[in-house]
Amino acid sequence: MSVARFWRKIPQRYNMIGTKCETCHRHFFPPRSFCPDCRRNGRIVDHKFAGFGTIITYTVIHTANEQFEAFTPYVLAIVKLDEGPRMTAQVVCRPDEVKIGMRVKSVFRRIATDGESGIIHYGTKFVPTG
Amino acid sequence: MKSTMVADPLRLFDCSPITDGAAAVIVAPLDRAREFTDTPIKVLASAQASDTITLHDRRDISTLDATVAAGQKAFRMAKLTHKDIDMVEVHDCFSIAEICAIEDLGFCRKGTAGKFTADGETALGGKIPVNTSGGLKACGHPVGATGIKQVYEIVKQIRNDAGKRQIDGADIGMTHNVGGTGATAVVHILRRA
Ligand SMILES: [Zn+2]
């Protein structure tokens, strides 16, 4: 199986599929198969995240490693999804546009490339909802 | 302050350089220490605490809860308070990390360590000299060796052997080492035996 095809099989890689606990309603992304609060009383089921969230904090990366150099300067933020879990991800917008508290929505984008002829990594980034 | 921007607002000189380096300590039971040295140093406290690996799962990004917990545990073990500490080597992987560590270890209230540092209270002759070794930023950060290097600096100070950077009356020192962006913090308190 090719690497790209293998990645497609990972639920949280290309789709925002995590899990939730039906006992306490806590959501997990990336997915957990066990609820740390309810333990043996937890009931874990798959959950497809809506992809909406709010920026908790951010930085603008000016000096990046080779894989991300082409994107600089770019916004890297901690996003709190509406269902609760937090993610660290790029926000696709001008660096002077980003604000703490800004509403964002997930999009499927190219994340990085392994050199000229290497594998292209795709995954989740965010864009402003406005 | 004008060096290349890395991750806003941190510039190149706010970031510690990952370097090569080595350091060592000899640990022995206290009752046998004088077989090896005339100036043994006693470990009053050795405390560790941990937190989530991912930064985005932390309770607060301006505090390392692992540092707070390890610091409190170390003070309890040594039966001392921050007022008893003569100098501290903190894990300044970035300039903001030093500010947060000074606060998290209890030397300043949250939000005040920036001014405290700018006022010279962490310099030689200040209230609590911080990172007389130069810290991770000025001395380099040979990751695994950094924590031991901090102990080395405190030992030099306690032995009155630190040359131009000697603190007057250095008796009790603290080290604070962090791993995994705050997933682990280790705090030691050392004193002349
Ligand atoms: Zn639960």
Side-chain angles (χ1 to χ4, degrees), chain B residues 107-121:
Chain B
F107 294 103
C108 276
R109 275 202 333 280
K110 203 78 218 162
T112 63
K115 184 174 185 302
F116 189 74
T117 302
D119 289 348
E121 298 290 12

Side-chain angles (χ1 to χ4, degrees), chain B:
Chain B
M1 300 295 267
K2 289 203 164 70
S3 60
T4 312
M5 189 65 88
V6 177
D8 193 13
L10 299 180
R11 294 175 179 274
L12 186 63
F13 293 158
D14 289 306
C15 307
S16 58
I18 302 297
T19 55
D20 287 335
V25 293
I26 298 170
V27 183
L30 199 57
D31 56 359
R32 288 194 55 196
R34 285 191 197 274
E35 294 173 31
F36 306 100
T37 175
D38 294 332
T39 52
I41 306 297
K42 188 178 178 185
V43 181
L44 298 182
S46 176
Q48 184 271 347
S50 55
D51 200 349
T52 65
I53 289 277
T54 48
L55 201 58
H56 61 233
D57 283 332
R58 302 276 169 77
R59 186 183 60 79
D60 181 345
I61 60 158
S62 55
T63 286
L64 294 185
D65 282 347
T67 294
V68 175
Q72 288 172 351
K73 204 165 146 190
F75 282 125
R76 274 199 310 275
M77 288 170 91
K79 299 188 179 69
L80 297 173
T81 73
H82 65 272
K83 291 199 186 81
D84 300 308
I85 306 295
D86 298 314
M87 67 232 139
V88 56
E89 286 284 308
V90 301
H91 194 93
D92 63 326
C93 43
F94 301 94
S95 44
I96 184 65
E98 175 170 328
I99 304 292
C100 291
I102 293 168
E103 296 169 351
D104 291 345
L105 292 169
F107 294 103
C108 276
R109 275 202 333 280
K110 203 78 218 162
T112 63
K115 184 174 185 302
F116 189 74
T117 302
D119 289 348
E121 298 290 12
T122 63
L124 276 181
K127 270 186 191 147
I128 174 81
V130 174
N131 289 4
T132 52
S133 69
L136 282 62
K137 291 207 311 292
C139 191
H141 182 22
V143 186
T146 288
I148 299 293
K149 184 219 78 184
Q150 296 176 325
V151 171
Y152 169 85
E153 176 66 12
I154 297 296
V155 168
K156 290 290 259 190
Q157 290 285 352
I158 295 174
R159 286 178 172 167
N160 209 11
D161 199 14
K164 284 184 185 168
R165 57 178 197 275
Q166 182 61 48
I167 298 162
D168 278 346
D171 179 33
I172 303 178
M174 174 181 263
T175 65
H176 161 255
N177 190 209
V178 169
T181 57
T184 302
V186 179
V187 174
H188 282 88
I189 301 176
L190 307 168
R191 179 184 213 164
R192 186 190 293 267

Side-chain angles (χ1 to χ4, degrees), chain A residues 29 57-63 78 86-88, chain B residues 4-9 55-59 61:
Chain A
F29 189 85
T57 190
Y58 67 89
T59 182
V60 179
I61 305 282
H62 291 263
T63 308
I78 294 179
R86 295 178 176 195
M87 290 177 70
T88 302
Chain B
T4 312
M5 189 65 88
V6 177
D8 193 13
L55 201 58
H56 61 233
D57 283 332
R58 302 276 169 77
R59 186 183 60 79
I61 60 158

